[in-house]
């Protein structure tokens, strides 16, 4: 019961700050938008690196875990992801041709 009261009071305080302080307002909206918009590039990167298969439920669970922990989940994925296939010389040569 006490935890609900504390949560509610903090939520009310956040609501007041959200509507009265431009920094809180813009930062909150930016955080939500960036968290929502990272999903498509993340799926594309996971497919390109061979980490994501649409038919595997475990891959969907991994993606959801990354997306449900905004910022930290994406940062952990970026540190964890495997290298792109191909030799470094081939990747560099392909970039030079473009």
């Amino acid at each position: 019961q006490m935890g609900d009261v504390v949560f509610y009071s903090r939520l009310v305080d956040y609501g007041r700050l959200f509507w009265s302080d431009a920094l809180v307002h813009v930062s909150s909206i930016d955080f939500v938008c960036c968290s929502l918009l990272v999903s498509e590039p993340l799926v594309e990167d996971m497919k390109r690196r061979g980490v994501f298969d649409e038919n595997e439920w475990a891959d969907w669970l991994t993606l959801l875990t990354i997306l449900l922990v905004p910022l930290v989940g994406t940062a952990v994925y970026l540190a964890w992801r495997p290298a792109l296939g191909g030799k470094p010389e081939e990747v560099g040569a392909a970039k030079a041709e473009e």
Side-chain angles (χ1 to χ4, degrees):
Q1 292 290 338
M2 187 62 170
D4 293 339
V5 173
V6 171
F7 177 74
Y8 179 75
S9 67
R10 292 194 183 203
L11 192 60
V12 168
D13 289 342
Y14 173 76
R16 286 187 193 135
L17 275 174
F18 184 82
W19 293 111
S20 64
D21 189 357
L23 179 64
V24 174
H25 188 87
V26 171
S27 297
S28 298
I29 292 172
D30 183 48
F31 184 75
V32 169
C33 288
C34 289
S35 296
L36 293 174
L37 294 175
V38 76
S39 62
E40 188 61 32
L42 185 68
V43 169
E44 180 183 337
D45 185 68
M46 290 174 80
K47 285 179 181 178
R48 186 174 293 158
R49 294 173 191 274
V51 179
F52 186 77
D53 180 12
E54 293 178 357
N55 298 322
E56 293 290 328
W57 68 271
D59 292 345
W60 282 103
L61 186 63
T62 302
L63 177 65
L64 277 174
T65 304
I66 292 169
L67 293 176
L68 288 177
V69 184
L71 191 64
V72 175
T74 306
V76 168
Y77 169 73
L78 289 174
W80 164 78
R81 68 185 182 168
L84 283 172
K87 297 177 183 173
E89 304 88 37
E90 293 172 1
V91 174
K95 285 184 180 179
E97 291 174 6
E98 293 177 1

